Amino acid sequence: MCMKAFTSSLRLHSRKKVNKELPLKTTPLCANCSRSISTTTAKSTNLDKVNKRPDSIPPLSQQLDQQSKHSFNSSSEPSSVNVSSSSTHIPSPPPANPTAAFQDLLGLNNDSNRDLENTFYQRELPATLVRFSSDKGKSLFRESMELGFAEAFFPLTGNFTTQSEPAYCGPSSLAMVLNALEVDPKRKWKGNWRWYSDELLDCCLSKEEMKINGITFDKFACLAKCHSEVIAKRAPTFSFDEFQKDVIDVTARSDKFLVVSFSRKTLGQTGDGHFSPIGAYNPDSKMVLVLDTARYKYPSYWCPIDTLYESMNPVDKETGRPRGYFLISYDIEHPPVRLCNPTQQNNKTTSTGLQSSSSSIVPTLLNWSTIAQTFCKRIPENMWLEKPRSLEHAIQVVLRNVPPEFTRILASQSMASSKAYSEQQHQPDQAKNYIRLLLQDTTKSPLYPIVFKTLYPSQPSPPLIDNNGDQQVDQHAAFATLFILGSPRMLYSSLPRDLQDTLIGYRQEEYMTDVVKREVDRISQEVKELTKAFCTCGPGWTKEENPPSCC
């Protein structure tokens, strides 16, 4: 016990002696903390000896100071460490805020909210709109469902797509609708799966252009027509009653959908042009459920139908024309023509008489708007100016204005149509025979040699009979003949009466087999829907001195 007491007394005495030789000096730890740390003012020569050692490690405060010179600027006064003048190594002064420097070294001082400046998480809906998930929104939906006007909601919301880019509202709306219609894209999405997504819908317009400028009314119509059946209605060619009737129709079914192109400003929202599908309609409150594809900006909401109608009337600055809406469906018996996927042709010829296609894809400048403009404006104008006096001249005017790639499009469409027809007849192997029969029967039309002579003026007659006793078929002349037979009669309204009667006579059933008539009717319906969708000028447009193009 005595020995322990002596030892404790000795330790206490040494501690007091050291404290007298090394007086304490306090320095603030940091500007945001009231605690302090202790440093010593060295008077002992032993410290000099340590500093003179070449292998000595700088104090932690020195290391932190070197780091802090590159990481932050301190406004506090640095504390100094006094060393003997005989020392050959003078350490740099320690940082005034070593703890802050150490925290900065660990990344603890980074402001996590700095990257969120000037960004947004959704917007507040205007008071005139009702959030779908609110109590009132749920009540409106229950009423709509009980009345049978929420049928479109279920396939759409089951395939809801939030746009992957701020300007992708159009492609996202279309992808949602196509998936709701259960359309097979015939194109790989990811892995082994085929599926529609907005980044794959780059027909009629490149993805880069859409990312920067978005998509216009006509471009959306072109994009939709490449994948489905579409009827485009641009304001002000339709009345409020017509719009309301279409809304009632599509919300009561699940095989046709409505995508509206409108101005957000009219709804009291930020931004301007936008596309979104309609999911339901409440006839009692006259409100429409808008499934907004920009879910990061606005949720789905109920909007008064008259307000939504008015939101399509403001002029789009990009096109100089108002917006509108689209009715989108899918007919498996008449698959859509995809202008974005014409295949490059080589010189090989298949047994059907069609040139085989290679695996490479050739981009094209075609779009449905320009093709519709050909039928609505360019061909009728040239017919009127040139005033053909022979059928060859009239056919030449038509084929000269139709893009050459359109022949391949017709061929691809006929092939797809034949496959669908053969599958419907449970004879999938008959598609090639169908095309062969179609081409052979087309050559029997009295219009075929006239078209052939127009295309090949240097050749006196169509090709000779082959070894099988069948006439050799020129696919370009055959499909051009089908196109002339199926083209709208308005193209030839300025021709002399005898030429019009001759063309009408060639369209009689006695000159067409069942296969040819089926394709001619398909082409005629295709062109009719094309002109209906893209050639609507609307009241007031033709009254201008230089009216914009109908298409």
Side-chain angles (χ1 to χ4, degrees):
M1 292 296 294
C2 295
M3 191 65 178
K4 290 182 178 181
F6 175 76
T7 303
S8 299
S9 175
L10 182 61
R11 289 176 178 173
L12 179 62
H13 177 73
S14 298
R15 197 174 298 165
K16 291 180 178 180
K17 185 176 180 181
V18 171
N19 291 339
K20 288 181 180 180
E21 293 179 353
L22 302 175
L24 296 177
K25 180 179 179 180
T26 60
T27 304
L29 180 61
C30 65
N32 299 324
C33 184
S34 59
R35 294 176 298 167
S36 62
I37 58 174
S38 299
T39 59
T40 60
T41 304
K43 293 183 179 181
S44 174
T45 58
N46 291 333
L47 181 60
D48 295 337
K49 294 179 179 180
V50 171
N51 289 333
K52 289 179 180 180
R53 290 175 57 189
D55 57 344
S56 63
I57 301 175
L60 176 62
S61 61
Q62 287 181 261
Q63 299 180 47
L64 294 176
D65 180 57
Q66 294 175 359
Q67 292 286 341
S68 65
K69 288 181 180 180
H70 302 284
S71 59
F72 75 103
N73 294 323
S74 175
S75 59
S76 58
E77 291 288 334
S79 61
S80 61
V81 178
N82 297 326
V83 296
S84 173
S85 59
S86 62
S87 175
T88 59
H89 176 74
I90 303 176
S92 59
N97 204 339
T99 303
F102 186 64
Q103 292 175 342
D104 186 72
L105 183 65
L106 297 178
L108 300 178
N109 291 334
N110 293 335
D111 186 3
S112 60
N113 293 325
R114 186 177 303 170
D115 294 337
L116 300 181
E117 294 179 359
N118 301 322
T119 62
F120 306 94
Y121 180 78
Q122 293 192 334
R123 298 280 197 184
E124 184 177 354
L125 278 175
T128 55
L129 307 179
V130 179
R131 180 184 286 263
F132 174 65
S133 59
S134 66
D135 292 339
K136 184 178 179 181
K138 295 176 183 177
S139 177
L140 290 171
F141 181 74
R142 280 192 292 268
E143 294 174 3
S144 299
M145 191 168 58
E146 291 174 358
L147 295 172
F149 296 112
E151 296 302 313
F153 171 82
F154 298 100
L156 286 174
T157 193
N159 296 279
F160 189 89
T161 302
T162 299
Q163 58 195 75
S164 61
E165 294 286 342
Y168 269 17
C169 54
S172 297
S173 297
L174 182 59
M176 191 192 315
V177 168
L178 293 174
N179 289 327
L181 289 169
E182 298 183 356
V183 179
D184 186 348
K186 304 294 184 182
R187 178 182 177 183
K188 187 173 70 174
W189 168 58
K190 293 181 181 179
N192 295 326
W193 299 102
R194 301 193 298 267
W195 193 250
Y196 278 108
S197 59
D198 55 7
E199 69 271 11
L200 295 182
L201 294 172
D202 55 354
C203 187
C204 303
L205 195 67
S206 68
K207 291 187 288 187
E208 291 72 20
E209 289 179 286
M210 281 191 285
K211 284 183 181 180
I212 298 174
N213 302 318
I215 188 170
T216 63
F217 182 91
D218 282 340
K219 293 296 184 181
F220 180 91
C222 179
L223 181 64
K225 189 165 180 59
C226 288
H227 300 86
S228 61
E229 295 294 324
V230 59
I231 298 176
K233 297 187 178 183
R234 188 195 291 273
T237 61
F238 57 89
S239 64
F240 172 78
D241 292 337
E242 182 180 354
F243 175 60
Q244 185 180 39
K245 181 180 178 181
D246 285 335
V247 168
I248 291 174
D249 177 59
V250 298
T251 54
R253 56 197 296 178
S254 56
D255 60 346
K256 181 188 288 186
F257 299 96
L258 190 152
V259 173
V260 61
S261 173
F262 62 99
S263 172
R264 286 191 183 274
K265 292 181 179 180
T266 307
L267 273 57
Q269 299 175 340
T270 61
D272 196 2
H274 192 55
F275 292 83
S276 279
I278 298 301
Y281 177 61
N282 189 299
D284 294 337
S285 63
K286 297 189 181 303
M287 299 193 78
V288 178
L289 177 60
V290 179
L291 300 177
D292 201 317
T293 58
R295 190 59 60 90
Y296 53 84
K297 185 175 183 179
Y298 290 108
S300 294
Y301 52 86
W302 291 94
C303 173
I305 189 172
D306 55 348
T307 304
L308 190 61
Y309 173 77
E310 293 296 333
S311 69
M312 293 181 277
N313 289 321
V315 172
D316 181 3
K317 295 180 180 179
E318 178 110 3
T319 63
R321 303 185 63 188
R323 298 176 174 88
Y325 65 98
F326 308 86
L327 300 173
I328 302 175
S329 58
Y330 187 79
D331 185 358
I332 192 172
E333 295 185 7
H334 299 88
V337 178
R338 304 188 183 189
L339 298 181
C340 49
N341 291 330
T343 54
Q344 184 178 11
Q345 307 291 330
N346 56 26
N347 295 325
K348 296 181 180 180
T349 304
T350 64
S351 58
T352 63
L354 293 176
Q355 291 178 337
S356 61
S357 59
S358 65
S359 58
S360 60
I361 301 298
V362 179
T364 178
L365 299 177
L366 289 180
N367 64 70
W368 286 116
S369 296
T370 58
I371 294 177
Q373 186 179 10
T374 297
F375 299 133
C376 300
K377 183 179 180 182
R378 190 173 298 119
I379 293 178
E381 286 182 353
N382 287 344
M383 285 286 187
W384 178 261
L385 293 174
E386 297 186 29
K387 295 179 173 55
R389 289 297 178 263
S390 67
L391 205 54
E392 291 84 353
H393 189 184
I395 294 174
Q396 185 183 25
V397 172
V398 173
L399 298 182
R400 187 177 68 236
N401 286 281
V402 175
E405 297 86 355
F406 197 67
T407 302
R408 291 203 301 269
I409 292 171
L410 287 176
S412 300
Q413 179 68 353
S414 294
M415 179 65 75
S417 178
S418 65
K419 289 181 179 179
Y421 179 77
S422 300
E423 292 175 358
Q424 186 181 21
Q425 300 297 322
H426 304 289
Q427 296 176 342
D429 297 334
Q430 298 299 317
K432 292 183 178 180
N433 293 331
Y434 179 91
I435 292 295
R436 184 184 297 109
L437 181 61
L438 172 64
L439 294 176
Q440 290 294 335
D441 287 355
T442 303
T443 62
K444 299 175 183 179
S445 170
L447 186 62
Y448 175 77
I450 301 175
V451 173
F452 183 88
K453 185 178 180 180
T454 303
L455 291 175
Y456 309 104
S458 61
Q459 298 186 25
S461 62
L464 301 176
I465 304 299
D466 60 17
N467 296 332
N468 297 326
D470 295 328
Q471 185 177 6
Q472 293 182 9
V473 179
D474 183 89
Q475 60 164 338
H476 299 290
F479 282 104
T481 300
L482 290 172
F483 172 71
I484 296 296
L485 290 172
S487 57
R489 296 182 182 181
M490 67 177 183
L491 300 182
Y492 314 101
S493 59
S494 62
L495 291 178
R497 176 57 61 182
D498 58 332
L499 295 183
Q500 294 187 45
D501 292 341
T502 302
L503 275 177
I504 293 174
Y506 290 157
R507 295 175 179 176
Q508 299 300 319
E509 294 184 3
E510 57 183 299
Y511 293 111
M512 294 191 297
T513 63
D514 292 341
V515 176
V516 173
K517 187 177 185 304
R518 182 175 182 273
E519 287 302 310
V520 168
D521 291 343
R522 180 189 62 77
I523 294 173
S524 178
Q525 184 66 23
E526 186 79 29
V527 175
K528 180 180 178 181
E529 293 179 357
L530 175 64
T531 55
K532 180 180 178 181
F534 291 89
C535 293
T536 52
C537 293
W541 291 101
T542 56
K543 295 179 181 179
E544 299 179 12
E545 183 177 354
N546 294 310
S549 172
C550 296
C551 304

Short mmCIF file of all heavy atoms in Angstrom, two decimals, residues 323-363:
data_model
loop_
_atom_site.label_atom_id
_atom_site.label_comp_id
_atom_site.label_asym_id
_atom_site.label_seq_id
_atom_site.Cartn_x
_atom_site.Cartn_y
_atom_site.Cartn_z
N ARG A 323 -53.71 22.83 -82.96
CA ARG A 323 -53.49 21.41 -82.67
C ARG A 323 -54.80 20.65 -82.86
O ARG A 323 -55.68 21.12 -83.56
CB ARG A 323 -52.92 21.26 -81.27
CG ARG A 323 -51.56 21.96 -81.09
CD ARG A 323 -51.07 21.87 -79.68
NE ARG A 323 -49.72 22.41 -79.53
CZ ARG A 323 -49.43 23.67 -79.29
NH1 ARG A 323 -50.41 24.55 -79.18
NH2 ARG A 323 -48.19 24.08 -79.16
N GLY A 324 -54.94 19.49 -82.23
CA GLY A 324 -56.14 18.70 -82.39
C GLY A 324 -56.05 17.39 -81.64
O GLY A 324 -55.39 17.30 -80.60
N TYR A 325 -56.70 16.34 -82.18
CA TYR A 325 -56.67 15.05 -81.51
C TYR A 325 -56.64 13.93 -82.53
O TYR A 325 -56.89 14.13 -83.73
CB TYR A 325 -57.83 14.88 -80.54
CG TYR A 325 -59.21 14.84 -81.16
CD1 TYR A 325 -59.86 13.63 -81.42
CD2 TYR A 325 -59.89 16.02 -81.47
CE1 TYR A 325 -61.13 13.60 -81.97
CE2 TYR A 325 -61.17 15.99 -82.02
CZ TYR A 325 -61.78 14.78 -82.26
OH TYR A 325 -63.04 14.75 -82.81
N PHE A 326 -56.35 12.70 -82.03
CA PHE A 326 -56.17 11.54 -82.90
C PHE A 326 -56.99 10.37 -82.36
O PHE A 326 -57.03 10.13 -81.15
CB PHE A 326 -54.70 11.13 -82.95
CG PHE A 326 -53.76 12.25 -83.28
CD1 PHE A 326 -53.26 13.08 -82.29
CD2 PHE A 326 -53.38 12.50 -84.59
CE1 PHE A 326 -52.40 14.12 -82.58
CE2 PHE A 326 -52.53 13.54 -84.89
CZ PHE A 326 -52.04 14.35 -83.90
N LEU A 327 -57.63 9.65 -83.27
CA LEU A 327 -58.33 8.41 -82.95
C LEU A 327 -57.47 7.27 -83.47
O LEU A 327 -57.24 7.16 -84.68
CB LEU A 327 -59.71 8.39 -83.58
CG LEU A 327 -60.66 9.53 -83.16
CD1 LEU A 327 -61.95 9.49 -83.98
CD2 LEU A 327 -60.98 9.43 -81.67
N ILE A 328 -56.99 6.43 -82.56
CA ILE A 328 -56.01 5.40 -82.91
C ILE A 328 -56.58 4.01 -82.65
O ILE A 328 -57.11 3.74 -81.56
CB ILE A 328 -54.71 5.59 -82.11
CG1 ILE A 328 -54.13 6.99 -82.39
CG2 ILE A 328 -53.68 4.53 -82.47
CD1 ILE A 328 -52.92 7.32 -81.55
N SER A 329 -56.47 3.15 -83.64
CA SER A 329 -56.93 1.77 -83.53
C SER A 329 -55.98 0.88 -84.32
O SER A 329 -54.99 1.37 -84.89
CB SER A 329 -58.37 1.63 -84.04
OG SER A 329 -58.46 2.04 -85.38
N TYR A 330 -56.29 -0.41 -84.39
CA TYR A 330 -55.42 -1.33 -85.13
C TYR A 330 -56.27 -2.38 -85.80
O TYR A 330 -57.15 -2.99 -85.16
CB TYR A 330 -54.42 -2.00 -84.19
CG TYR A 330 -53.39 -2.84 -84.92
CD1 TYR A 330 -52.30 -2.24 -85.53
CD2 TYR A 330 -53.52 -4.22 -84.99
CE1 TYR A 330 -51.35 -2.99 -86.20
CE2 TYR A 330 -52.57 -4.99 -85.66
CZ TYR A 330 -51.48 -4.36 -86.26
OH TYR A 330 -50.55 -5.11 -86.94
N ASP A 331 -56.03 -2.59 -87.10
CA ASP A 331 -56.76 -3.57 -87.89
C ASP A 331 -55.76 -4.62 -88.35
O ASP A 331 -54.90 -4.34 -89.19
CB ASP A 331 -57.44 -2.91 -89.09
CG ASP A 331 -58.32 -3.88 -89.87
OD1 ASP A 331 -58.37 -5.07 -89.49
OD2 ASP A 331 -58.95 -3.44 -90.85
N ILE A 332 -55.87 -5.81 -87.80
CA ILE A 332 -54.89 -6.86 -88.10
C ILE A 332 -54.98 -7.29 -89.57
O ILE A 332 -54.00 -7.77 -90.14
CB ILE A 332 -55.09 -8.07 -87.16
CG1 ILE A 332 -53.90 -9.02 -87.27
CG2 ILE A 332 -56.41 -8.77 -87.43
CD1 ILE A 332 -53.91 -10.12 -86.25
N GLU A 333 -56.15 -7.12 -90.18
CA GLU A 333 -56.29 -7.51 -91.59
C GLU A 333 -55.69 -6.47 -92.53
O GLU A 333 -55.42 -6.77 -93.69
CB GLU A 333 -57.77 -7.70 -91.92
CG GLU A 333 -58.43 -8.86 -91.18
CD GLU A 333 -59.85 -9.07 -91.64
OE1 GLU A 333 -60.27 -8.40 -92.62
OE2 GLU A 333 -60.55 -9.89 -91.03
N HIS A 334 -55.48 -5.25 -92.02
CA HIS A 334 -54.85 -4.20 -92.82
C HIS A 334 -53.71 -3.59 -92.01
O HIS A 334 -53.83 -2.50 -91.45
CB HIS A 334 -55.87 -3.12 -93.21
CG HIS A 334 -56.99 -3.63 -94.04
ND1 HIS A 334 -58.14 -4.15 -93.49
CD2 HIS A 334 -57.14 -3.72 -95.40
CE1 HIS A 334 -58.96 -4.52 -94.46
NE2 HIS A 334 -58.38 -4.27 -95.63
N PRO A 335 -52.60 -4.31 -91.90
CA PRO A 335 -51.47 -3.80 -91.10
C PRO A 335 -50.96 -2.49 -91.66
O PRO A 335 -51.03 -2.23 -92.86
CB PRO A 335 -50.43 -4.92 -91.22
CG PRO A 335 -50.81 -5.68 -92.44
CD PRO A 335 -52.29 -5.58 -92.56
N PRO A 336 -50.43 -1.66 -90.81
CA PRO A 336 -49.98 -0.33 -91.25
C PRO A 336 -48.72 -0.40 -92.11
O PRO A 336 -47.96 -1.36 -92.04
CB PRO A 336 -49.71 0.41 -89.93
CG PRO A 336 -49.38 -0.69 -88.96
CD PRO A 336 -50.22 -1.86 -89.36
N VAL A 337 -48.54 0.62 -92.90
CA VAL A 337 -47.32 0.76 -93.71
C VAL A 337 -46.32 1.58 -92.93
O VAL A 337 -46.62 2.69 -92.50
CB VAL A 337 -47.64 1.45 -95.06
CG1 VAL A 337 -46.36 1.63 -95.87
CG2 VAL A 337 -48.64 0.63 -95.84
N ARG A 338 -45.12 1.05 -92.75
CA ARG A 338 -44.09 1.75 -91.99
C ARG A 338 -43.12 2.41 -92.96
O ARG A 338 -42.28 1.75 -93.55
CB ARG A 338 -43.36 0.78 -91.06
CG ARG A 338 -44.32 0.05 -90.12
CD ARG A 338 -43.60 -0.77 -89.10
NE ARG A 338 -44.54 -1.51 -88.27
CZ ARG A 338 -44.20 -2.18 -87.17
NH1 ARG A 338 -42.94 -2.21 -86.79
NH2 ARG A 338 -45.10 -2.83 -86.47
N LEU A 339 -43.24 3.69 -93.08
CA LEU A 339 -42.38 4.42 -94.01
C LEU A 339 -40.93 4.41 -93.56
O LEU A 339 -40.03 4.63 -94.36
CB LEU A 339 -42.86 5.87 -94.14
CG LEU A 339 -44.27 6.07 -94.70
CD1 LEU A 339 -44.58 7.54 -94.77
CD2 LEU A 339 -44.40 5.45 -96.08
N CYS A 340 -40.70 4.17 -92.28
CA CYS A 340 -39.33 4.24 -91.76
C CYS A 340 -38.54 2.97 -92.02
O CYS A 340 -37.35 2.93 -91.75
CB CYS A 340 -39.35 4.51 -90.27
SG CYS A 340 -40.48 3.44 -89.36
N ASN A 341 -39.18 1.91 -92.51
CA ASN A 341 -38.48 0.64 -92.66
C ASN A 341 -38.47 0.08 -94.07
O ASN A 341 -38.63 -1.11 -94.25
CB ASN A 341 -39.12 -0.42 -91.73
CG ASN A 341 -38.86 -0.12 -90.29
OD1 ASN A 341 -37.85 0.48 -89.95
ND2 ASN A 341 -39.77 -0.52 -89.43
N PRO A 342 -38.33 0.89 -95.13
CA PRO A 342 -38.18 0.27 -96.45
C PRO A 342 -36.83 -0.41 -96.54
O PRO A 342 -35.82 0.14 -96.11
CB PRO A 342 -38.26 1.46 -97.41
CG PRO A 342 -37.79 2.60 -96.61
CD PRO A 342 -38.21 2.34 -95.19
N THR A 343 -36.77 -1.62 -97.08
CA THR A 343 -35.53 -2.37 -97.14
C THR A 343 -34.80 -2.08 -98.44
O THR A 343 -35.41 -1.84 -99.47
CB THR A 343 -35.79 -3.87 -97.03
OG1 THR A 343 -36.74 -4.24 -98.03
CG2 THR A 343 -36.34 -4.22 -95.67
N GLN A 344 -33.49 -2.15 -98.35
CA GLN A 344 -32.68 -1.91 -99.54
C GLN A 344 -32.81 -3.10 -100.48
O GLN A 344 -32.72 -4.24 -100.06
CB GLN A 344 -31.22 -1.72 -99.14
CG GLN A 344 -30.31 -1.37 -100.31
CD GLN A 344 -28.89 -1.15 -99.85
OE1 GLN A 344 -28.56 -1.44 -98.72
NE2 GLN A 344 -28.07 -0.63 -100.73
N GLN A 345 -33.01 -2.83 -101.74
CA GLN A 345 -33.22 -3.89 -102.71
C GLN A 345 -31.90 -4.23 -103.40
O GLN A 345 -31.09 -3.38 -103.70
CB GLN A 345 -34.26 -3.44 -103.77
CG GLN A 345 -35.56 -2.94 -103.18
CD GLN A 345 -36.36 -4.06 -102.54
OE1 GLN A 345 -36.29 -5.19 -102.96
NE2 GLN A 345 -37.13 -3.72 -101.53
N ASN A 346 -31.73 -5.53 -103.67
CA ASN A 346 -30.61 -5.94 -104.50
C ASN A 346 -31.13 -6.51 -105.81
O ASN A 346 -32.31 -6.43 -106.10
CB ASN A 346 -29.72 -6.94 -103.75
CG ASN A 346 -30.51 -8.14 -103.27
OD1 ASN A 346 -31.54 -8.49 -103.86
ND2 ASN A 346 -30.04 -8.79 -102.22
N ASN A 347 -30.28 -7.10 -106.57
CA ASN A 347 -30.66 -7.55 -107.90
C ASN A 347 -31.23 -8.96 -107.93
O ASN A 347 -31.60 -9.45 -108.99
CB ASN A 347 -29.45 -7.47 -108.84
CG ASN A 347 -29.01 -6.04 -109.05
OD1 ASN A 347 -29.84 -5.14 -109.08
ND2 ASN A 347 -27.71 -5.83 -109.18
N LYS A 348 -31.29 -9.61 -106.76
CA LYS A 348 -31.81 -10.96 -106.75
C LYS A 348 -33.33 -10.93 -106.80
O LYS A 348 -33.96 -10.06 -106.22
CB LYS A 348 -31.34 -11.70 -105.48
CG LYS A 348 -29.83 -11.88 -105.42
CD LYS A 348 -29.44 -12.64 -104.17
CE LYS A 348 -27.93 -12.83 -104.10
NZ LYS A 348 -27.52 -13.56 -102.88
N THR A 349 -33.90 -11.90 -107.47
CA THR A 349 -35.33 -11.97 -107.62
C THR A 349 -35.84 -13.28 -107.06
O THR A 349 -35.28 -14.35 -107.32
CB THR A 349 -35.73 -11.86 -109.10
OG1 THR A 349 -35.20 -10.66 -109.62
CG2 THR A 349 -37.24 -11.84 -109.24
N THR A 350 -36.90 -13.22 -106.25
CA THR A 350 -37.46 -14.41 -105.64
C THR A 350 -38.45 -15.04 -106.59
O THR A 350 -38.76 -14.53 -107.66
CB THR A 350 -38.18 -14.04 -104.33
OG1 THR A 350 -39.27 -13.18 -104.63
CG2 THR A 350 -37.24 -13.32 -103.37
N SER A 351 -38.97 -16.19 -106.16
CA SER A 351 -39.92 -16.92 -106.99
C SER A 351 -41.22 -16.17 -107.16
O SER A 351 -42.00 -16.46 -108.06
CB SER A 351 -40.20 -18.30 -106.35
OG SER A 351 -40.71 -18.14 -105.05
N THR A 352 -41.48 -15.19 -106.30
CA THR A 352 -42.72 -14.43 -106.42
C THR A 352 -42.61 -13.31 -107.43
O THR A 352 -43.60 -12.65 -107.76
CB THR A 352 -43.10 -13.81 -105.07
OG1 THR A 352 -42.08 -12.90 -104.68
CG2 THR A 352 -43.25 -14.87 -103.99
N GLY A 353 -41.38 -13.09 -107.93
CA GLY A 353 -41.20 -11.98 -108.86
C GLY A 353 -40.78 -10.71 -108.17
O GLY A 353 -40.45 -9.72 -108.81
N LEU A 354 -40.74 -10.72 -106.81
CA LEU A 354 -40.31 -9.54 -106.06
C LEU A 354 -38.82 -9.63 -105.80
O LEU A 354 -38.27 -10.71 -105.59
CB LEU A 354 -41.07 -9.47 -104.73
CG LEU A 354 -42.56 -9.20 -104.80
CD1 LEU A 354 -43.14 -9.27 -103.39
CD2 LEU A 354 -42.84 -7.86 -105.43
N GLN A 355 -38.17 -8.50 -105.79
CA GLN A 355 -36.76 -8.48 -105.45
C GLN A 355 -36.63 -8.79 -103.97
O GLN A 355 -37.37 -8.28 -103.14
CB GLN A 355 -36.15 -7.11 -105.76
CG GLN A 355 -36.04 -6.83 -107.26
CD GLN A 355 -35.49 -5.45 -107.50
OE1 GLN A 355 -35.56 -4.58 -106.67
NE2 GLN A 355 -34.93 -5.26 -108.68
N SER A 356 -35.66 -9.62 -103.64
CA SER A 356 -35.43 -9.95 -102.24
C SER A 356 -34.78 -8.77 -101.55
O SER A 356 -34.03 -8.01 -102.16
CB SER A 356 -34.53 -11.19 -102.12
OG SER A 356 -33.27 -10.94 -102.71
N SER A 357 -35.03 -8.64 -100.28
CA SER A 357 -34.50 -7.50 -99.52
C SER A 357 -33.32 -7.95 -98.68
O SER A 357 -33.29 -9.05 -98.15
CB SER A 357 -35.59 -6.92 -98.62
OG SER A 357 -36.06 -7.90 -97.74
N SER A 358 -32.35 -7.09 -98.57
CA SER A 358 -31.20 -7.37 -97.72
C SER A 358 -31.53 -7.00 -96.29
O SER A 358 -32.58 -6.46 -95.99
CB SER A 358 -29.99 -6.56 -98.21
OG SER A 358 -30.23 -5.19 -98.06
N SER A 359 -30.60 -7.29 -95.40
CA SER A 359 -30.85 -7.04 -93.98
C SER A 359 -30.65 -5.59 -93.60
O SER A 359 -31.06 -5.17 -92.52
CB SER A 359 -29.92 -7.91 -93.12
OG SER A 359 -28.56 -7.64 -93.45
N SER A 360 -30.00 -4.80 -94.45
CA SER A 360 -29.75 -3.40 -94.09
C SER A 360 -30.98 -2.56 -94.31
O SER A 360 -31.80 -2.82 -95.17
CB SER A 360 -28.59 -2.84 -94.94
OG SER A 360 -28.91 -2.91 -96.30
N ILE A 361 -31.10 -1.54 -93.50
CA ILE A 361 -32.24 -0.63 -93.56
C ILE A 361 -31.80 0.69 -94.18
O ILE A 361 -30.78 1.26 -93.81
CB ILE A 361 -32.82 -0.39 -92.15
CG1 ILE A 361 -33.25 -1.73 -91.53
CG2 ILE A 361 -33.97 0.58 -92.20
CD1 ILE A 361 -34.35 -2.42 -92.31
N VAL A 362 -32.56 1.16 -95.12
CA VAL A 362 -32.25 2.41 -95.79
C VAL A 362 -33.18 3.49 -95.26
O VAL A 362 -34.39 3.35 -95.32
CB VAL A 362 -32.42 2.28 -97.32
CG1 VAL A 362 -32.12 3.61 -98.00
CG2 VAL A 362 -31.51 1.19 -97.85
N PRO A 363 -32.63 4.57 -94.69
CA PRO A 363 -33.51 5.64 -94.21
C PRO A 363 -34.21 6.32 -95.37
O PRO A 363 -33.71 6.37 -96.49
CB PRO A 363 -32.54 6.60 -93.50
CG PRO A 363 -31.21 6.34 -94.14
CD PRO A 363 -31.21 4.88 -94.48
#
